[in-house]
């Protein structure tokens, strides 16, 4: 019982970790929302990593494994299709490059956040139940693990590559008149060369009430990202206070930043719509040579890369 209790969150006290300049007081409201008071932004990022890992470590580890194409290591061969897709897209390689190219200030925030997560992993107490059931320990957190979250979100919120593939399949199998009836959004709007102009069925929304319209005399911002319902939630509410600034709003486990929220001066949010953010290309092999493909300028050799996917209770793929 005492061992299992060691996996529970720190409700009140001081957060300590490698790289922290001073004790960071932590207090949680009645519903568990933490308030972090730190001497500087670096200490605040470390504390956010600490509370994220206390409450959502299994969610965070699953997220980075999806992005890196490493689910099969812990769940077995049924995850191979996901891993192969992610290795092909190379999301984690992009995240690693983004971490290398980041500004010094962002690198410091990401490193501090990683230190906070790793302080929880290194505590030696009971891990969350998911790790017990899957029988593995999480690896240390790195800045690339945080940045791959944005790549996964971008992929989840982009769908028109699938729409282009559907359009191609339909055009190859049904009469043009029927295609226009079934896929009106794929038609050019009259007089405008806009092949994706048409009704959009998926979007988020937000709106603002000006100060003249509010009882308090202050503007009000409402933001609804319209993301799918997940358990646990994609969002994690937090209140951060430093001598220079305070933030309150929604973070996402794995990321040290307030994605939707407010500081001392402004509030901000974001929404998404079904824009044309993906293009799908069909490459054709060079005649008589499966190692090359056709281009406008002749043929080019296919690039190759070997990825080794470890599989739980199975052979590497």
């Amino acid at each position: 019982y005492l061992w299992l209790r060691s996996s529970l969150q720190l409700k009140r006290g001081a957060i300590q970790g490698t790289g922290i300049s001073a004790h960071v007081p932590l207090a949680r409201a009645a519903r568990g929302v933490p308030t972090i008071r730190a001497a500087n932004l670096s200490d605040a990022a470390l504390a956010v990593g600490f509370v994220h890992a206390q409450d959502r470590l299994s969610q965070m580890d699953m997220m980075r494994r999806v992005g890196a194409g490493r689910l099969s290591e812990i769940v077995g061969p049924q995850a191979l299709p996901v891993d192969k897709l992610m290795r092909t897209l190379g999301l984690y390689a992009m995240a690693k490059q983004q971490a290398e190219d980041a500004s010094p200030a962002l690198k410091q925030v990401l490193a501090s956040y990683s230190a906070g997560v790793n302080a929880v992993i290194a505590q030696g107490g009971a891990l969350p139940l998911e790790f017990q059931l899957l029988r593995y320990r999480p690896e240390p957190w790195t800045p690339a693990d945080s940045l791959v979250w944005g790549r996964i979100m971008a992929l989840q919120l982009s769908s028109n590559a699938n729409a282009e593939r559907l359009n191609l399949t339909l055009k190859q199998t049904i009469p043009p008149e029927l295609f226009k009836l079934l896929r009106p959004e794929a038609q050019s709007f009259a007089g405008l060369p806009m092949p994706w102009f048409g009704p959009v069925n998926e979007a988020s929304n937000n709106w603002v009430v000006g100060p003249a319209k509010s009882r308090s005399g202050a503007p009000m911002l409402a933001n609804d990202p319209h993301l799918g319902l997940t358990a646990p939630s994609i969002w994690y509410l937090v209140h951060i206070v430093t001598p220079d600034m305070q933030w309150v709003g929604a973070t996402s486990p794995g990321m040290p930043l307030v994605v939707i929220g407010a500081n001392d001066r402004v509030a901000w949010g974001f929404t998404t719509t079904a824009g044309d953010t993906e293009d799908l290309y069909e490459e054709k092999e060079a005649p008589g040579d499966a190692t090359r493909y056709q281009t406008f300028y002749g043929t080019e050799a296919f690039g190759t890369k070997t990825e080794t996917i470890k599989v739980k209770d199975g052979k590497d793929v």
Side-chain angles (χ1 to χ4, degrees):
Y1 172 77
L2 294 176
W3 176 70
L4 288 173
R5 281 190 60 84
S6 66
S7 70
L8 298 180
Q9 63 185 205
L10 175 67
K11 293 186 176 181
R12 185 175 297 274
I15 298 173
Q16 303 180 50
T18 303
I20 204 167
S21 63
H23 290 338
V24 177
L26 169 69
R28 292 181 183 266
R31 297 192 178 186
V33 177
T35 292
I36 294 166
R37 300 184 182 277
N40 50 57
L41 181 59
S42 180
D43 285 1
L46 188 149
V48 173
F50 186 91
V51 294
H52 278 179
Q54 277 205 320
D55 292 352
R56 304 283 192 90
L57 185 57
S58 60
Q59 177 189 17
M60 294 162 61
D61 191 65
M62 195 65 67
M63 178 272 295
R64 64 171 169 175
R65 283 185 174 275
V66 169
R70 294 182 58 192
L71 277 178
S72 299
E73 291 183 22
I74 60 172
V75 301
Q78 62 266 36
L80 276 172
V82 176
D83 286 350
K84 288 180 179 180
L85 173 63
M86 292 301 173
R87 300 290 183 102
T88 301
L89 294 175
L91 300 186
Y92 197 77
M94 297 179 197
K96 290 175 70 175
Q97 187 62 53
Q98 187 179 4
E100 294 179 9
D101 296 339
S103 67
L106 180 55
K107 285 183 177 179
Q108 179 60 53
V109 169
L110 292 172
S112 297
Y113 179 86
S114 297
V117 176
N118 292 330
V120 174
I121 294 175
Q123 280 181 340
L127 289 169
L129 180 61
E130 294 86 346
F131 296 104
Q132 312 295 341
L133 294 175
L134 294 172
R135 301 192 306 278
Y136 81 100
R137 290 192 63 86
E139 298 172 359
W141 195 265
T142 70
D145 297 333
S146 294
L147 294 175
V148 79
W149 177 85
R151 302 291 178 175
I152 295 173
M153 288 298 298
L155 181 63
Q156 288 179 331
L157 297 174
S158 303
S159 61
N160 59 281
N162 289 329
E164 291 181 9
R165 183 169 58 182
L166 174 60
N167 288 343
L168 176 62
T169 303
L170 289 174
K171 285 181 177 179
Q172 292 173 339
T173 54
I174 64 176
E177 295 76 14
L178 183 56
F179 177 78
K180 292 178 181 179
L181 179 65
L182 294 175
R183 301 287 289 171
E185 70 274 15
Q187 309 308 308
S188 296
F189 188 70
L192 293 174
M194 298 171 64
W196 283 95
F197 188 93
V200 174
N201 299 321
E202 299 175 359
S204 308
N205 57 51
N206 56 17
W207 44 267
V208 175
V209 173
K213 299 291 185 179
S214 74
R215 180 173 296 177
S216 66
M220 299 167 59
L221 168 67
N223 187 176
D224 184 359
H226 281 205
L227 298 175
L229 179 65
T230 61
S233 168
I234 192 173
W235 302 120
Y236 183 104
L237 300 181
V238 68
H239 180 202
I240 305 169
V241 181
T242 71
D244 300 321
M245 187 75 72
Q246 67 171 317
W247 301 263
V248 61
T251 62
S252 185
M255 282 285 288
L257 309 174
V258 176
V259 183
I260 297 174
N263 59 25
D264 296 336
R265 296 185 293 274
V266 297
W268 65 91
F270 73 89
T271 62
T272 184
T273 186
D276 186 358
T277 57
E278 296 175 330
D279 287 313
L280 195 62
Y281 292 85
E282 182 181 10
E283 305 290 3
K284 298 184 183 298
E285 292 180 0
D289 188 354
T291 66
R292 303 180 70 84
Y293 63 99
Q294 294 176 344
T295 75
F296 289 113
Y297 313 103
T299 65
E300 294 283 349
F302 280 112
T304 62
K305 183 181 179 183
T306 301
E307 293 277 348
T308 302
I309 302 176
K310 296 186 178 300
V311 181
K312 182 180 181 180
D313 300 327
K315 296 181 179 179
D316 291 353
V317 174

